Amino acid sequence: MQVRQISTWRTAATGAALALTTAVAGAATTQVAQVTALPKAENAVQTSAGRTFVSTNGALFEIKTTGGIKSAVKVPTQFSNASTTACFFTGLTEYANTLYATCAENTLMPSAPKHLLAMDLASSAATMTEIAALHDKGFPNGLASDGAGHLYYANTTLLSAGAVWRITLSGRFAVAEEKEFHKFPFCTANGLKFHNKQLYIGANPPTFVGLSQVLRYDVSATGLSNKTVILDSWNVIDDFVLVKGGIVAAEYLAGKVTHVSETGQVLNTAKGFSSPSSAHLVWDAQTAQRQLLVTEAGGNRATWLSTDWGLAPR
């Protein structure tokens, strides 16, 4: 495996805050680490065993920490078509000790090949292997698991309606069914999270100009119902993380992440990011603290922050 980038830790004692931080309650954030050379860093996941992965345009990376230094290590991938050598990796999720990822060979061409890949997390040197071709006309974006054998992915489209698709697994590395599960007539789907039989979806206008929202739905075997609006924004909402009592969302155009309650009250914001594409609450074993991990597509990097926002996982 190839090490792509190494960056040193920046602590509260030796480093500076990431940027201007605005907080309703006077809270603050401090940058503690950053890894660069992650092309159009798109999404991230921390597994139940504490491993961290970041998806990018061209590859999937695992973030390793050795001696207080973080590095991004390219994960080997294998596609069904041997001629496929690169893919724009997007959504990531974990289920049954397996890491799943979606990717598209061209995110601007609706007919471009799209793939679902999986990797056994029990092995530290496993290959990310394609287990199915995907059939949405757009590109697969946010990815979530319901913990019961289904994966959901957001179909992001340009200038047309988006959707949520559902994948039914017939084992950790096989797909029994893939189908369009919910269609959005006037918006396109982006980030995606599943919790307690509810699906949270980032919905943006098809032109990416206009009002974006994070929506919550009840999930049944036949579809989505009981829509609730969690967050409104004019800044294009990308992916987000569910935290106790609310969410932290990446607002792509505003260069910020926003912490809101489940009822939509803005609690904290942190600014100064370069096209933030996702936010994640992760555990740092070295400091025994929870940190906020933000991927930045415009900066080709991932940034770790300490906060006093009182964030806790759901």
Side-chain angles (χ1 to χ4, degrees), residues 34-181:
Q34 191 173 79
V35 174
T36 58
L38 297 171
K40 294 185 178 179
E42 174 65 19
N43 218 317
V45 68
Q46 187 177 57
T47 69
S48 55
R51 297 171 67 181
T52 299
F53 297 87
V54 174
S55 61
T56 75
N57 184 8
L60 177 68
F61 292 91
E62 182 170 6
I63 305 300
K64 306 261 191 181
T65 303
T66 304
I69 298 176
K70 290 187 182 297
S71 62
V73 179
K74 188 174 181 180
V75 176
T77 56
Q78 180 178 331
F79 294 92
S80 298
N81 185 341
S83 65
T84 302
T85 57
C87 207
F88 197 138
F89 284 83
T90 50
L92 299 169
T93 195
E94 178 189 8
Y95 168 65
N97 206 28
T98 307
L99 178 67
Y100 294 93
T102 54
C103 76
E105 294 184 32
N106 187 328
T107 59
L108 299 178
M109 185 183 299
S111 60
K114 293 162 278 284
H115 313 279
L116 175 68
L117 300 94
M119 183 176 74
D120 184 1
L121 289 169
S123 171
S124 61
T127 296
M128 201 76 182
T129 303
E130 180 177 354
I131 62 172
L134 299 177
H135 300 93
D136 59 312
K137 296 299 182 183
F139 69 91
N141 206 333
L143 182 66
S145 166
D146 65 1
H150 299 106
L151 306 178
Y152 299 84
Y153 71 86
N155 179 31
T156 299
T157 58
L158 299 175
L159 306 177
S160 61
V164 173
W165 285 59
R166 187 178 75 174
I167 296 168
T168 301
L169 298 170
S170 59
R172 294 168 62 201
F173 304 102
V175 170
E177 181 186 53
E178 178 208 9
K179 69 176 183 179
E180 189 176 78
F181 193 63

Side-chain angles (χ1 to χ4, degrees), residues 200 214 216 229-231 243-248 258-268 314:
Y200 293 72
V214 174
R216 186 187 70 220
V229 177
I230 304 298
L231 173 64
V243 295
K244 189 173 182 179
I247 67 171
V248 180
T258 303
H259 176 207
V260 301
S261 70
E262 191 77 7
T263 57
Q265 178 187 2
V266 175
L267 303 174
N268 302 286
R314 291 208 201 183

Side-chain angles (χ1 to χ4, degrees), residues 219-237:
V219 182
S220 69
T222 56
L224 306 181
S225 61
N226 299 327
K227 180 177 80 172
T228 300
V229 177
I230 304 298
L231 173 64
D232 291 316
S233 172
W234 295 96
N235 297 309
V236 178
I237 298 171

Side-chain angles (χ1 to χ4, degrees), residues 10-22 27-34 270-273 303-306:
R10 298 174 64 187
T11 66
T14 62
L18 172 73
L20 173 66
T21 299
T22 303
T29 62
T30 302
Q31 179 181 314
V32 294
Q34 191 173 79
K271 301 179 180 180
F273 301 97
T303 300
W304 284 255
L305 307 171
S306 66

